[in-house]
Amino acid sequence: MSSSTKSNSLLDWADQRYQIRGLIEFLKHKEVPIGGHSMVWYYLGGTTLFFFTIQILSGLLLLLYYQPGQDTSYETIRYITTKVPFGWLIRSVHVWSAHLMILSLVVHMFSTMLLKAYRPPREMTWVTGFLLFSISLGFGFSGYLLPWNELAYFATSVGTDSVKSVPVIGQWLLEVMRGGPDVTINTLYRFFALHIVVLPITIFAVIGMHLVMIQRQGMAPPRGHETSPRGMPFFPNFMLRDLLLWLMCLIGLMTLAVFLPYGPGLPGVEWELGLKANPLAPAYPGIKPEWYFLWIYQLLKEFPAHLFGVEGPEAALGLVSVIMGIWALIPWLDRKSRQGLPTPGFTDYGNASILFIGYLTLKAWDLGGGGGGDVLPDPAAVARTCAIIILGVAAVQIAIRVLVYHHWRFTTTGAVLLQIILHGFFGMSYLLAGAISFVLAMGVYIIRYRGRERVFEGAKS
Ligand code: HEM
């Protein structure tokens, strides 16, 4: 029997039982849109999925030896990294891949936002994506404590402490998270359960929904190319490119894991085991959360202890909740985009958020502030250095937007840059600079809105 006859009869056998020919036909006809923007953005969901798969596999291998407990968490991680053959590599792969997954996810999220891929009928793809983003942050936060070392202990104490600023239920939420008023081994048990049971089950379900929606609706064509007949066949053309990219990601991941097994050494991107957690030891200064939480950490620092009768941290977390809420509801807020019209204001909002988050993240790293040892970094020098960097990034971003994409709306970007300039170069407080920029941006919006109303009235009369 020839090999093609053999594979045909195998296919027949499987098709009679599981009707798989329908799936093959579907894959043959599935296409990835080609049009107004680069196809690069269509690969980022796939790379996120790739790193997620690595997380599951490397996490399972770590579980062969890891045991949560007062006398075992730290000890088993040390055993894995020093005694188990290639254990150090598996741990390094798990942590590097976690960082790369979040990085890929964040770029995927911003690219789908800027391409307005959330337009109808894909609103729920965006919402499930937003849930995936939140769950992934939960994975990062809960996994951090598991080695039960000093760094993890104090970072978790600081991180969970901010939860008590959530209005009304803050203290209760803090105790539910910690399993008591303080971070103890009970907190580790809870985080362990979250990390290996609750979050994986939830993320599998949500990724399933996300992918089913994408399969049912296909990938969003660029605006203005909805009826374009051009498309790249998913199978085999796009899939082979996907596989090649995954291979490159694997090579990059292994290189980083082998040559930098404890991370690049930046605050928030390091995982040297160090000393075992000792709740009685004094917390050392300069403890920072992981890089993707840094902007929230810095925002909390920018708020005073009290603001208009509200606790400063409560106000800061309120602001973060508003920003996140707007982000989750974008498919409904961007009303014109629902009718297929261009919405430059939302494009500008997406671009401005990158600068806003970037500035706070750099500040949290105390870039350019000097210091070290017992000497604290100079806040004015940090604010100035970070402002110079972000203004440089903004100049490149604006040049690309104007020259390549012919954008002409920059109100939100302008407000964010004004805040950075007032704070970084003129020493104004971050909040006051923000308030001035916000009021000015609102003024521009109102004037523009009134102008549009007048044109509309004129056209009617
Ligand atoms: C674990 C995290 C995630 C995984 C594994 C994932 C996976 C994918 C895959 C494979 C695609 C199709 C290919 C592509 O466009 O890249 C996709 C599309 C999409 N994703 Fe995600 N994603 C994740 C997180 C997110 C997040 C955080 C958002 C936004 C909040 C998001 C929003 C979308 C949207 C709107 C599409 C449709 C894109 C289009 O039709 O062009 N995803 N995702």
Side-chain angles (χ1 to χ4, degrees):
M1 208 194 286
S2 77
S3 63
S4 76
T5 332
K6 250 192 218 160
S7 62
N8 264 342
S9 54
L10 194 66
L11 208 63
D12 288 340
W13 183 89
D15 190 48
Q16 278 160 13
R17 282 154 187 84
Y18 309 111
Q19 291 78 46
I20 61 163
R21 275 193 207 279
L23 177 68
I24 295 174
E25 279 309 303
F26 172 75
L27 285 179
K28 272 190 189 158
H29 289 106
K30 188 179 163 186
E31 286 192 337
V32 182
I34 301 179
H37 57 70
S38 163
M39 287 196 72
V40 167
W41 311 118
Y42 290 131
Y43 293 101
L44 294 167
T47 49
T48 312
L49 199 56
F50 167 77
F51 287 119
F52 174 70
T53 314
I54 298 282
Q55 282 312 97
I56 299 294
L57 296 178
S58 54
L60 283 174
L61 288 177
L62 288 176
L63 262 189
L64 295 179
Y65 288 94
Y66 178 78
Q67 288 172 28
Q70 183 74 56
D71 300 321
T72 50
S73 290
Y74 177 81
E75 287 73 8
T76 46
I77 293 283
R78 205 175 47 188
Y79 183 75
I80 289 171
T81 46
T82 54
K83 297 276 180 341
V84 176
F86 295 107
W88 63 273
L89 185 60
I90 301 297
R91 176 170 184 244
S92 173
V93 164
H94 193 71
V95 189
W96 265 116
S97 171
H99 286 284
L100 294 175
M101 174 177 156
I102 303 243
L103 183 66
S104 166
L105 180 147
V106 168
V107 183
H108 172 57
M109 180 166 74
F110 273 98
S111 66
T112 52
M113 190 274 167
L114 290 172
L115 297 175
K116 319 271 169 69
Y118 52 71
R119 276 169 295 146
R122 294 180 181 76
E123 300 95 323
M124 294 314 288
T125 314
W126 173 266
V127 173
T128 48
F130 183 80
L131 288 177
L132 289 174
F133 170 61
S134 317
I135 299 169
S136 304
L137 295 188
F139 263 114
F141 194 62
S142 54
Y144 202 65
L145 183 65
L146 300 187
W148 199 240
N149 55 353
E150 263 194 341
L151 186 66
Y153 178 83
F154 289 121
T156 307
S157 302
V158 175
T160 47
D161 196 56
S162 52
V163 170
K164 73 168 184 263
S165 305
V166 173
V168 190
I169 54 164
Q171 187 60 32
W172 173 81
L173 203 60
L174 173 102
E175 296 200 12
V176 170
M177 273 182 97
R178 289 183 173 176
D182 300 311
V183 175
T184 61
I185 199 68
N186 286 340
T187 321
L188 184 130
Y189 290 138
R190 287 182 183 211
F191 278 31
F192 180 66
L194 263 182
H195 197 75
I196 69 144
V197 182
V198 181
L199 293 177
I201 292 177
T202 322
I203 203 168
F204 271 121
V206 184
I207 288 186
M209 287 195 262
H210 197 65
L211 296 183
V212 165
M213 286 170 193
I214 293 154
Q215 295 315 315
R216 299 290 299 178
Q217 300 174 328
M219 253 104 101
R223 210 182 58 79
H225 291 73
E226 284 84 354
T227 51
S228 161
R230 290 178 67 214
M232 177 189 281
F234 179 81
F235 183 81
N237 305 41
F238 189 79
M239 210 174 99
L240 287 176
R241 285 171 170 78
D242 242 348
L243 287 178
L244 183 65
L245 185 62
W246 290 17
L247 192 64
M248 285 157 64
C249 288
L250 185 63
I251 295 170
L253 171 66
M254 293 316 285
T255 311
L256 289 170
V258 168
F259 291 106
L260 294 170
Y262 298 108
L266 292 168
V269 204
E270 56 184 340
W271 44 95
E272 190 87 56
L273 196 54
L275 296 175
K276 183 173 174 171
N278 175 9
L280 299 177
Y284 44 90
I287 286 251
K288 300 209 162 66
E290 298 200 272
W291 60 270
Y292 37 88
F293 289 118
L294 283 177
W295 70 279
I296 302 180
Y297 159 89
Q298 186 61 33
L299 200 63
L300 279 160
K301 276 178 50 178
E302 300 291 352
F303 273 68
H306 300 281
L307 189 74
F308 304 125
V310 184
E311 298 272 320
E314 264 184 32
L317 284 190
L319 179 63
V320 172
S321 312
V322 170
I323 295 174
M324 290 295 192
I326 293 180
W327 199 245
L329 295 177
I330 272 191
W332 291 276
L333 297 175
D334 187 359
R335 280 179 306 169
K336 276 200 185 159
S337 179
R338 296 175 71 77
Q339 298 151 21
L341 298 170
T343 48
F346 279 87
T347 311
D348 189 40
Y349 174 69
N351 280 295
S353 337
I354 298 173
L355 301 175
F356 177 78
I357 291 174
Y359 184 65
L360 286 171
T361 305
L362 294 184
K363 266 198 93 183
W365 262 316
D366 294 326
L367 281 191
D374 289 339
V375 185
L376 291 176
D378 172 8
V382 173
R384 199 171 44 248
T385 312
C386 300
I388 294 171
I389 299 174
I390 291 295
L391 286 183
V393 174
V396 176
Q397 194 196 51
I398 292 172
I400 296 176
R401 288 179 59 194
V402 172
L403 299 176
V404 182
Y405 297 105
H406 309 298
H407 288 177
W408 45 271
R409 184 74 70 80
F410 294 96
T411 314
T412 316
T413 298
V416 169
L417 292 183
L418 179 64
Q419 180 190 23
I420 291 173
I421 290 170
L422 291 178
H423 176 59
F425 297 119
F426 295 97
M428 196 178 274
S429 98
Y430 182 82
L431 286 193
L432 181 61
I436 292 177
S437 313
F438 179 76
V439 170
L440 284 179
M442 279 300 148
V444 173
Y445 279 124
I446 291 169
I447 292 170
R448 195 179 296 135
Y449 182 74
R450 289 237 172 109
R452 215 182 298 139
E453 292 275 286
R454 228 171 281 135
V455 171
F456 184 66
E457 291 294 319
K460 273 208 301 191
S461 57

